[in-house]
């Protein structure tokens, strides 16, 4: 989830020089170049704010930058494939699911205030996240097959112990089968996506300037 600026490096340099000439303080900078695109420090900061909002804490800047580079790879592939953007109703459903992860509407609003994100920011970031995840799902799901033994193993090692730890009666295997199959498919999609991203990284020209000292 990030904002890609399709600005050429010469254009960025001209903008920086213009602001400096007028005595304005430059608060943003380039932290990476991926092929002919750039990632700004503000992109890293925005994703950090979203992580604070959604998870209560943010990853280190270097990890966030790596996520942004991976997202660039996925988005580039999706754009070439003319993959459709998610529908508004799908984004709204994603927002509703996100809100359910908070203990109350008040906690949601408090975390949003703490992160400094607006409602429009959250919707934009959710839309981007959904676009990328939908593309990866469409790309890898058709080739994934779930072994029935894996379903039974997941049930015995994950579902039953979790229910018992909560003092609850475990659901039957048949009742949990659809949920387990989807969980295993999602895990396989993530694994295939990770392998694909590692291979794609070797073919993409990336320069990182995150840790360079600025004048």
């Amino acid at each position: 989830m990030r904002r890609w600026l399709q600005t050429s490096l010469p254009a960025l340099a001209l903008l920086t020089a213009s602001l400096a000439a007028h005595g304005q303080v430059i608060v943003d900078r380039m932290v990476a170049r991926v092929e002919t695109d750039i990632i700004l420090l503000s992109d890293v900061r925005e994703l950090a704010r979203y992580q604070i909002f959604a998870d209560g804490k943010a990853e280190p800047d270097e990890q966030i930058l790596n996520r942004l580079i991976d997202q660039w790879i996925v988005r580039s592939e999706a754009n070439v494939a003319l993959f459709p953007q998610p529908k508004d109703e799908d984004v709204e459903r994603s927002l509703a699911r996100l809100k359910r992860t908070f203990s109350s509407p008040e906690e949601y609003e408090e975390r949003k205030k703490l992160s400094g994100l607006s409602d429009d920011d959250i919707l934009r970031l959710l839309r981007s996240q959904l676009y990328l995840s939908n593309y990866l799902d469409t790309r890898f799901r058709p080739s994934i097959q779930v072994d029935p033994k894996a379903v039974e193993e997941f049930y015995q090692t994950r579902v039953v112990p979790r229910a018992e730890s909560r003092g609850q009666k475990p659901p039957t295997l048949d009742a949990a089968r659809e949920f387990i199959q989807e969980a295993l498919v999602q895990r396989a999609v993530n694994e295939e996506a990770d392998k694909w991203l590692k291979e794609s990284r070797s073919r993409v020209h990336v320069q990182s300037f995150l840790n360079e000292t600025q004048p």
Side-chain angles (χ1 to χ4, degrees), residues 93-196:
R93 278 195 291 269
S94 183
L95 177 60
R97 286 194 297 269
L98 175 63
K99 288 182 176 181
R100 288 196 294 270
T101 65
F102 292 85
S103 61
S104 66
E106 291 75 21
E107 185 193 16
Y108 174 89
E109 292 296 330
E110 180 61 29
R111 193 84 68 76
K112 183 178 69 174
K113 181 179 179 181
L114 178 66
S115 70
L117 295 173
S118 67
D119 290 330
D120 287 343
D121 291 332
I122 293 169
L123 283 175
R124 173 172 50 79
L125 292 165
L126 278 175
R127 182 180 297 276
S128 177
Q129 180 184 40
L130 194 57
Y131 178 70
L132 301 176
S133 61
N134 284 350
Y135 174 73
L136 291 174
D137 191 78
T138 299
R139 182 184 177 103
F140 296 110
R141 180 181 287 265
S143 63
I144 293 172
Q145 295 182 343
V146 176
D147 187 340
K149 291 183 179 179
V151 173
E152 295 177 10
E153 180 182 359
F154 190 97
Y155 175 76
Q156 294 294 339
T157 62
R158 300 287 296 278
V159 176
V160 172
R162 183 177 183 183
E164 291 177 344
S165 69
R166 296 179 174 182
Q168 301 172 345
K169 181 180 179 180
T172 65
L173 174 58
D174 285 340
R177 190 179 304 276
E178 184 176 348
F179 162 80
I180 295 171
Q181 286 179 330
E182 179 59 24
L184 291 175
V185 168
Q186 285 296 330
R187 185 169 69 183
V189 167
N190 291 338
E191 290 172 351
E192 290 299 314
D194 286 343
K195 288 191 291 186
W196 172 70

Side-chain angles (χ1 to χ4, degrees), residues 29-122:
R29 66 180 178 91
M30 180 174 63
V31 293
R33 180 166 59 186
V34 188
E35 296 294 349
T36 58
D37 287 328
I38 62 173
I39 302 175
L40 297 177
L41 182 61
S42 57
D43 298 315
V44 174
R45 293 289 180 258
E46 181 176 66
L47 182 50
R49 289 198 301 272
Y50 183 81
Q51 289 181 346
I52 290 171
F53 164 66
D55 303 322
K57 61 181 180 179
E59 296 173 315
D61 286 352
E62 190 168 351
Q63 285 182 246
I64 292 177
L65 179 58
N66 281 327
R67 287 189 183 277
L68 293 173
I69 293 169
D70 285 345
Q71 288 176 9
W72 182 95
I73 293 171
V74 178
R75 183 175 294 279
S76 296
E77 290 277 343
N79 288 342
V80 169
L82 301 179
F83 192 72
Q85 289 288 334
K87 298 178 180 178
D88 290 344
E89 52 266 36
D90 293 332
V91 178
E92 290 295 337
R93 278 195 291 269
S94 183
L95 177 60
R97 286 194 297 269
L98 175 63
K99 288 182 176 181
R100 288 196 294 270
T101 65
F102 292 85
S103 61
S104 66
E106 291 75 21
E107 185 193 16
Y108 174 89
E109 292 296 330
E110 180 61 29
R111 193 84 68 76
K112 183 178 69 174
K113 181 179 179 181
L114 178 66
S115 70
L117 295 173
S118 67
D119 290 330
D120 287 343
D121 291 332
I122 293 169

